[in-house]
């Protein structure tokens, strides 16, 4: 058995980022930039007013009240064509270009217009209520580097930088295969020997949440023939994920079938709980991750191994977010396997600090507990017994996981 860290290192070693494709901004949410994005315009492109009011020369309004001659107006999209001289003001609106000769704006609230004149009751130093050209960014600035995960704000910035489309990493295609003679699809007629398969739908959703594209292969039966036929699908995908059939029972044929198909195995069995029988290798170059069949083990292993693998295929940083919390209850000493306990996460009313309370039932078949969990409490191998209030490392579970 190897440690979680060594195993994860092997999974992400030698991973090549997938290629790029072009998408419109409307399709860019959650995608990862494949290239640096440089501004194709300056923002603002010219010096503009930040207020509704009057464009003036700061020196003309140094002493107030002062009455100036109104020589025109500048509205957003409709700049004033002329230029402003001593004793003159131009009516201006937010976002409108500053007229030549003006260097400050007086707010509308500090003015009284009458006929062709305006009386200003507040001073405005040079640059006041003015946004200089390029205040935000200048043509050529790289504001969104390759590897950026695009959220709504990043898409807004790309738009402001005058990019209607972007080069992003294509979504890795992930073949998801469940195995087991007992597994039925949700909604199928059930015999007494059946259990409803949850790994396929959960893993497909997990893959989608990570920005990849699942290819749900369905359920292979516990026969060499069925498994061999299904495993062939890996050829057209970036990654094959199999759940179940990976232990040492008579019907756990996945390892054998993959070996016959030409799998170069990297490891099998990790010192962790849940999820000891985890297998990883490459089948004619395509990574293959064999997850345990127990639904909790499958999902926890997906979080620890599938997520970093997909993230590195997308060119993203691989580390899971962790936090420090105090234990909400005592825990016994741990054995040789790194433990990932399903736990609730609350905040102390006094300090606001995080409190992680592992659930009493940690059976790897209890999917309800995994779904109710807010985090996983990480218990290193051979950790001593811990009492409530001690600090522990937790992995907060994102809402879409
Ligand atoms: P296995 O690794 O095939 O021995 O499976 C271990 C346990 O996980 C067994 O109790 C299986 O019934 C269960 N299991 C396997 N695949 C699934 C699945 N797709 N959905 C839910 N449970 C599963
Ligand atoms: Mg099985």
């Amino acid at each position: 058995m190897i440690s979680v860290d060594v195993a994860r290192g092997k999974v992400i070693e030698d991973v090549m980022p997938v290629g790029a494709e072009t998408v419109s901004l409307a399709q860019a949410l959650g995608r990862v930039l494949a290239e640096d994005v440089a501004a194709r315009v300056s923002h603002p492109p010219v010096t503009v007013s930040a207020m509704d009011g009057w464009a003036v020369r700061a020196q003309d309004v140094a002493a107030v009240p002062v009455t100036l001659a109104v020589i025109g107006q500048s509205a957003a999209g409709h700049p004033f064509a002329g230029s402003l001289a001593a004793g003159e003001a131009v009516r201006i609106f937010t976002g409108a270009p500053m007229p030549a000769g003006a260097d400050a704006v007086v707010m509308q609230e500090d003015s009284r217009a009458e006929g062709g004149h305006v009386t200003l009751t507040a001073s405005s130093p040079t640059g006041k209520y003015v946004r200089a050209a390029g205040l935000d960014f200048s043509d050529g600035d790289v504001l969104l580097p390759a590897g950026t995960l695009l959220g709504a704000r990043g898409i807004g910035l790309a738009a402001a930088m005058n990019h209607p489309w972007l080069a992003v990493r294509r979504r890795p295609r992930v073949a998801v295969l469940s195995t087991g003679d007992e597994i039925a699809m949700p909604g199928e007629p059930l015999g007494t020997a059946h259990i409803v398969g949850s790994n396929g739908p959960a893993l497909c959703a997990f893959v989608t949440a990570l920005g990849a594209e699942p290819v749900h292969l369905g359920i292979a039966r516990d026969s060499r023939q069925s498994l061999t036929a299904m495993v062939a699908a890996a050829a057209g995908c970036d990654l094959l994920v199999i759940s179940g059939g990976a232990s040492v029972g008579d019907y756990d044929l996945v390892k054998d079938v993959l070996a016959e198909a030409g799998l170069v195995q990297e490891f099998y069995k990790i010192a962790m709980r849940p999820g000891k029988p985890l297998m990883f290798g490459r089948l004619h170059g395509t990574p293959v991750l064999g997850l345990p069949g127990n639904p909790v083990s499958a999902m926890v292993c997906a979080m620890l191994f599938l997520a970093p693998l997909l993230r590195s295929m997308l060119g993203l940083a691989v580390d899971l977010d962790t936090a420090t919390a105090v234990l909400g209850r005592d825990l016994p000493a741990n054995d040789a396997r790194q433990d990932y306990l399903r736990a609730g996460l609350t905040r102390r009313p006094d300090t606001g600090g995080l409190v992680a309370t592992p659930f009493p039932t940690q059976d790897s078949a209890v999917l309800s507990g995994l779904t109710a969990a807010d985090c996983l409490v990480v218990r290193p191998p051979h950790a001593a017994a811990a009492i409530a209030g001690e600090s522990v490392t937790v992995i907060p579970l994102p809402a879409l996981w």
Side-chain angles (χ1 to χ4, degrees):
M1 286 200 294
I2 59 172
S3 73
V4 172
D5 286 349
V6 169
R8 192 168 25 217
K10 286 183 185 290
V11 168
I12 60 178
E13 172 182 280
D14 301 332
V15 173
M16 291 292 287
V18 292
E21 63 185 3
T22 299
V23 296
S24 73
L25 294 184
Q27 301 166 310
L29 183 69
R31 308 299 297 269
V32 180
L33 283 178
E35 293 169 2
D36 288 351
V37 177
R40 302 202 306 174
V41 68
S42 297
H43 185 241
V46 296
T47 301
V48 296
S49 175
M51 283 285 172
D52 293 323
W54 301 91
V56 296
R57 298 176 351 139
Q59 65 192 92
D60 287 357
V61 295
V64 287
V66 63
T67 299
L68 303 176
V70 176
I71 58 162
Q73 74 165 28
S74 178
H78 306 278
F80 177 68
S83 74
L84 183 146
E88 294 178 340
V90 165
R91 179 80 174 109
I92 197 162
F93 302 95
T94 305
M98 287 289 282
D103 62 0
V105 170
V106 174
M107 282 203 293
Q108 185 171 310
E109 288 82 341
D110 298 319
S111 72
R112 230 172 25 247
E114 236 185 298
H117 290 85
V118 62
T119 300
L120 303 172
T121 54
S123 295
S124 203
T126 302
K128 184 83 175 172
Y129 304 134
V130 171
R131 294 195 178 113
L135 170 78
D136 191 357
F137 52 80
S138 299
D139 201 340
D141 286 354
V142 174
L143 300 164
L144 295 167
T148 300
L149 177 63
L150 290 166
R153 288 171 290 154
I155 290 169
L157 181 57
M161 289 159 73
N162 199 19
H163 287 270
W165 54 74
L166 297 168
V168 297
R169 297 261 164 236
R170 69 175 176 79
R171 297 184 193 278
R173 286 166 59 81
V174 182
V176 175
L177 178 61
S178 304
T179 68
D181 285 345
E182 79 283 29
I183 308 298
M185 296 284 259
E188 264 185 348
L190 295 177
T192 47
H194 281 137
I195 68 153
V196 183
S198 57
N199 289 346
L203 290 167
C204 286
F206 188 77
V207 162
T208 304
L210 282 155
E213 182 187 323
V215 180
H216 196 184
L217 302 180
I219 303 159
R221 297 305 161 194
D222 290 320
S223 74
R224 286 173 193 277
Q225 197 191 8
S226 176
L227 281 165
T228 304
M230 300 287 245
V231 156
C237 292
D238 297 295
L239 168 65
L240 170 63
V241 177
I242 306 177
S243 77
S247 318
V248 292
D250 290 349
Y251 299 99
D252 294 325
L253 302 170
V254 167
K255 212 156 72 71
D256 288 0
V257 167
L258 285 170
E260 276 162 28
L263 185 88
V264 180
Q265 188 179 299
E266 284 283 347
F267 61 75
Y268 169 58
K269 287 194 178 170
I270 314 285
M272 67 180 280
R273 181 177 35 242
K276 182 166 74 172
L278 180 81
M279 199 245 359
F280 180 72
R282 288 190 177 79
L283 187 60
H284 310 300
T286 304
V288 178
L289 190 62
L291 301 173
N294 271 312
V296 176
S297 312
M299 285 307 286
V300 172
C301 288
M303 292 170 188
L304 293 172
F305 299 98
L306 178 54
L309 178 53
L310 287 177
R311 290 179 64 89
S312 51
M313 283 182 168
L314 288 164
L316 292 169
V318 295
D319 286 338
L320 286 175
D321 286 337
T322 59
T324 300
V326 296
L327 276 175
R329 68 177 181 85
D330 299 352
L331 289 176
N334 194 18
D335 62 10
R337 285 158 72 185
Q338 178 139 306
D339 221 339
Y340 294 89
L341 304 173
R342 280 69 73 200
L345 205 53
T346 53
R347 290 202 176 269
R348 277 176 60 159
D350 49 352
T351 61
L354 290 171
V355 181
T357 308
F359 301 147
T361 306
Q362 293 289 335
D363 191 297
S364 62
V366 176
L367 196 50
S368 55
L370 177 67
T371 305
D374 304 306
C375 70
L376 300 174
V377 171
V378 184
R379 292 278 285 157
H382 306 295
I387 54 167
E390 269 183 45
S391 285
V392 284
T393 298
V394 302
I395 300 170
L397 298 179
L400 291 185
W401 287 17

